[in-house]
Amino acid sequence: MGPFAHDDKITPVHVAALAGGVGAGKFLRGLVRAVPAERVTVVVNTGDDIRVHGLHVAPDLDSVTYWLAGVADRDRGWGRSGETFRATGELRALGAAGAWFGLGDLDLATHLFRTGLIDQGATLSEATAAIASRFGILARVLPMSDETVTTRLGVLDEAGRPLDLHFQEYWVRRGGRDRVKNVRFDGADRARAAPGVLESLAGADAVLFCPSNPIASIGPILAVPGVRDALARRRTSVAGVSPIVGGAPLRGMADRLLPAAGVEVSAAGVAEHYEGLLGGWVIDERDAAMAARIRVRGVRVAVTDSIMVDDGAAERLARVALRVAGAPA
Ligand code: FO1
């Protein structure tokens, strides 16, 4: 421990975090208790973004924003608490093409506002900053890129027919029932990292991988040119929290996507998938037996209770992650 008390917030640490959906939201609430929020930059996946009813919907940017603002729906995992779905109900009655995607009435305001700004010439980064500011968020929330990158899946349906689906069509419209054969990030090779992304990944004292889906959430961020190199160059102070506990994701579809990428569905399998990028890896107590397998790859391992039952648990987990990254707060 440094010269300051354990629970103070004056340790001068800057942290960058790579983030996706609900696991990231919970973790980030803990991180901004461990480190002053002004010193946290969150780089967010936009591969799930989709146009619905002419609106730019950015599920992971919104998840991060709503969780940090304390307005997320903890049980549903996405969207806002106290939400109603009257507009979506009406759109379904009208037979609107995109109405399979449930947009809450409060959430709709975010998409209307973001789309309006973008139509007037703002970048996604600028629109994101405006939304974060409305919610009083002190952390810097950055999309991974201002350019369009789209996560698409090659799947086989129940009859064995091949389909090519947007991530949201796979997960929401079709309920994740198809067998995933491959995942790709269309547009990633041409995309440029958004302003501040590569700078924060290079300049932070620690970079943390949130416990997010390694394929659908972290995968698109790593596919943006320059991101992998920025992490590999400072690998020793990069650490992650395993999203896989006891051989399964706590939530979501990582267990269906990891095998399609040839990755074992385990805390060790994900660490190996991030090989060359990680200096430290946090695994749950249930996976303690895997620590040696990860350590032989030159990665420091911390074993802890990683279940974020509340913000206090998330803060403890964030402190463990910072410590294993070599930047205790
Ligand atoms: N998930 C669902 O399971 N059903 C939905 O209708 C749905 C709508 C939705 C709208 C806005 C938003 O920000 C997220 C939404 N999600 C919905 C969650 C989303 O599909 C995924 O969980 C994330 O993209 C993964 O991080």
Coordinates of all heavy atoms in Angstrom, one line a residue, residues 20-21 48 57-60 62 78-79 100-103 107 111 167-168 171-172 217, ligand 1:
G20 N -17.3 -3.1 -22.5 CA -18.5 -3.5 -23.3 C -19.8 -3.2 -22.5 O -20.0 -2.1 -22.0
G21 N -20.5 -4.3 -22.2 CA -21.9 -4.1 -21.7 C -21.9 -4.2 -20.1 O -21.2 -3.5 -19.4
D48 N -21.5 -3.2 -31.6 CA -22.9 -3.6 -31.5 C -23.9 -2.5 -32.0 O -25.1 -2.7 -32.0 CB -23.3 -3.7 -30.0 CG -22.5 -4.8 -29.3 OD1 -21.7 -5.4 -29.9 OD2 -22.8 -5.0 -28.1
V57 N -28.3 3.8 -32.4 CA -28.4 3.2 -31.1 C -27.0 2.6 -30.8 O -26.4 1.9 -31.6 CB -29.4 2.1 -31.1 CG1 -29.5 1.5 -29.7 CG2 -30.8 2.7 -31.4
A58 N -26.4 3.0 -29.7 CA -25.1 2.6 -29.3 C -25.1 1.9 -27.9 O -24.9 2.5 -26.9 CB -24.1 3.8 -29.2
P59 N -25.5 0.6 -27.9 CA -25.8 -0.1 -26.6 C -24.7 -0.1 -25.6 O -25.0 0.1 -24.4 CB -26.1 -1.6 -27.1 CG -26.6 -1.4 -28.5 CD -25.8 -0.3 -29.1
D60 N -23.5 -0.3 -26.0 CA -22.4 -0.3 -25.0 C -22.0 1.1 -24.5 O -21.8 1.2 -23.3 CB -21.2 -1.1 -25.6 CG -21.4 -2.6 -25.6 OD1 -22.5 -3.0 -25.1 OD2 -20.5 -3.3 -26.0
D62 N -24.1 3.4 -24.2 CA -25.2 3.8 -23.3 C -25.2 3.0 -22.0 O -25.4 3.5 -21.0 CB -26.6 3.6 -24.0 CG -26.7 4.6 -25.2 OD1 -26.0 5.6 -25.2 OD2 -27.6 4.3 -26.1
W78 N -29.5 -4.0 -19.3 CA -29.3 -2.9 -20.4 C -30.5 -1.9 -20.2 O -31.5 -2.2 -19.5 CB -29.4 -3.5 -21.8 CG -30.5 -4.4 -22.1 CD1 -30.6 -5.8 -21.8 CD2 -31.8 -4.0 -22.6 NE1 -31.9 -6.2 -22.2 CE2 -32.6 -5.2 -22.7 CE3 -32.3 -2.8 -23.1 CZ2 -33.9 -5.1 -23.3 CZ3 -33.6 -2.8 -23.6 CH2 -34.4 -3.9 -23.7
G79 N -30.3 -0.7 -20.7 CA -31.3 0.3 -20.7 C -31.4 0.9 -19.3 O -30.6 0.7 -18.4
W100 N -38.5 -5.2 -33.4 CA -38.0 -6.3 -32.6 C -37.0 -5.9 -31.6 O -36.7 -6.6 -30.6 CB -37.4 -7.4 -33.6 CG -36.3 -6.9 -34.5 CD1 -36.6 -6.4 -35.8 CD2 -34.9 -6.8 -34.3 NE1 -35.4 -6.0 -36.3 CE2 -34.4 -6.2 -35.4 CE3 -34.1 -7.1 -33.2 CZ2 -33.0 -6.0 -35.5 CZ3 -32.8 -6.8 -33.3 CH2 -32.2 -6.3 -34.5
F101 N -36.4 -4.7 -31.8 CA -35.4 -4.2 -30.9 C -36.1 -3.3 -29.9 O -36.8 -2.3 -30.3 CB -34.3 -3.4 -31.6 CG -33.0 -3.3 -30.9 CD1 -32.3 -4.4 -30.6 CD2 -32.5 -2.0 -30.6 CE1 -31.1 -4.3 -29.9 CE2 -31.3 -1.9 -30.0 CZ -30.6 -3.0 -29.6
G102 N -36.1 -3.6 -28.6 CA -36.9 -2.9 -27.6 C -36.2 -1.6 -27.1 O -35.3 -1.6 -26.3
L103 N -36.7 -0.5 -27.6 CA -36.1 0.8 -27.2 C -37.1 1.4 -26.1 O -38.2 1.7 -26.4 CB -36.0 1.8 -28.4 CG -35.0 1.3 -29.4 CD1 -34.9 2.4 -30.6 CD2 -33.6 1.1 -28.9
D107 N -34.8 5.9 -22.9 CA -33.6 5.5 -23.8 C -33.7 6.2 -25.2 O -32.8 6.7 -25.7 CB -33.6 4.0 -23.9 CG -32.3 3.5 -24.4 OD1 -31.2 4.1 -24.2 OD2 -32.3 2.4 -25.1
H111 N -31.2 8.3 -28.0 CA -30.9 8.0 -29.4 C -31.3 9.1 -30.3 O -30.7 9.4 -31.3 CB -31.6 6.7 -29.8 CG -31.4 5.6 -28.9 ND1 -30.1 5.3 -28.3 CD2 -32.3 4.7 -28.3 CE1 -30.3 4.2 -27.5 NE2 -31.5 3.9 -27.4
F167 N -24.9 -8.4 -35.1 CA -24.8 -8.9 -33.7 C -26.2 -8.8 -33.0 O -26.6 -9.8 -32.4 CB -23.8 -8.2 -32.9 CG -23.8 -8.5 -31.4 CD1 -23.2 -9.7 -31.0 CD2 -24.5 -7.7 -30.5 CE1 -23.3 -10.0 -29.6 CE2 -24.6 -8.1 -29.2 CZ -23.9 -9.2 -28.7
Q168 N -26.9 -7.7 -33.2 CA -28.2 -7.6 -32.5 C -29.2 -8.5 -33.1 O -30.2 -8.9 -32.4 CB -28.6 -6.1 -32.5 CG -27.7 -5.1 -31.9 CD -27.5 -5.3 -30.4 OE1 -28.2 -6.1 -29.8 NE2 -26.6 -4.5 -29.8
W171 N -28.5 -11.8 -31.4 CA -28.7 -11.9 -30.0 C -30.2 -11.6 -29.6 O -30.8 -12.3 -28.9 CB -27.7 -11.0 -29.3 CG -27.9 -11.0 -27.8 CD1 -28.1 -10.0 -27.0 CD2 -27.7 -12.2 -26.9 NE1 -28.2 -10.4 -25.7 CE2 -27.9 -11.7 -25.6 CE3 -27.4 -13.5 -27.1 CZ2 -27.8 -12.6 -24.5 CZ3 -27.4 -14.4 -26.1 CH2 -27.6 -13.9 -24.8
V172 N -30.7 -10.5 -30.1 CA -32.0 -10.0 -29.7 C -33.1 -10.6 -30.6 O -34.1 -11.2 -30.2 CB -32.1 -8.4 -29.7 CG1 -33.5 -7.9 -29.3 CG2 -31.0 -7.9 -28.7
S217 N -17.4 -7.8 -27.2 CA -17.1 -6.4 -26.6 C -15.7 -6.0 -26.7 O -15.5 -4.8 -27.2 CB -17.5 -6.4 -25.1 OG -18.9 -6.7 -24.9
Ligands
FO1_1 N1 -31.3 -6.7 -25.3 C1 -32.3 -7.6 -25.5 O1 -32.1 -8.7 -25.1 N2 -33.5 -7.2 -26.1 C2 -33.7 -5.9 -26.5 O2 -34.8 -5.6 -27.0 C3 -32.6 -5.0 -26.3 C4 -32.8 -3.6 -26.7 C5 -31.7 -2.7 -26.4 C6 -31.9 -1.4 -26.7 C7 -30.9 -0.5 -26.3 C8 -29.7 -0.9 -25.8 O3 -28.8 0.0 -25.4 C9 -29.5 -2.3 -25.5 C10 -30.5 -3.2 -25.8 N3 -30.3 -4.5 -25.6 C11 -31.4 -5.4 -25.7 C12 -29.1 -5.1 -25.0 C13 -28.1 -5.4 -26.2 O4 -28.6 -6.2 -27.2 C14 -26.8 -6.2 -25.8 O5 -27.0 -6.8 -24.6 C15 -25.6 -5.4 -25.9 O6 -25.4 -5.0 -27.2 C16 -24.4 -6.3 -25.5 O7 -23.5 -5.5 -24.8

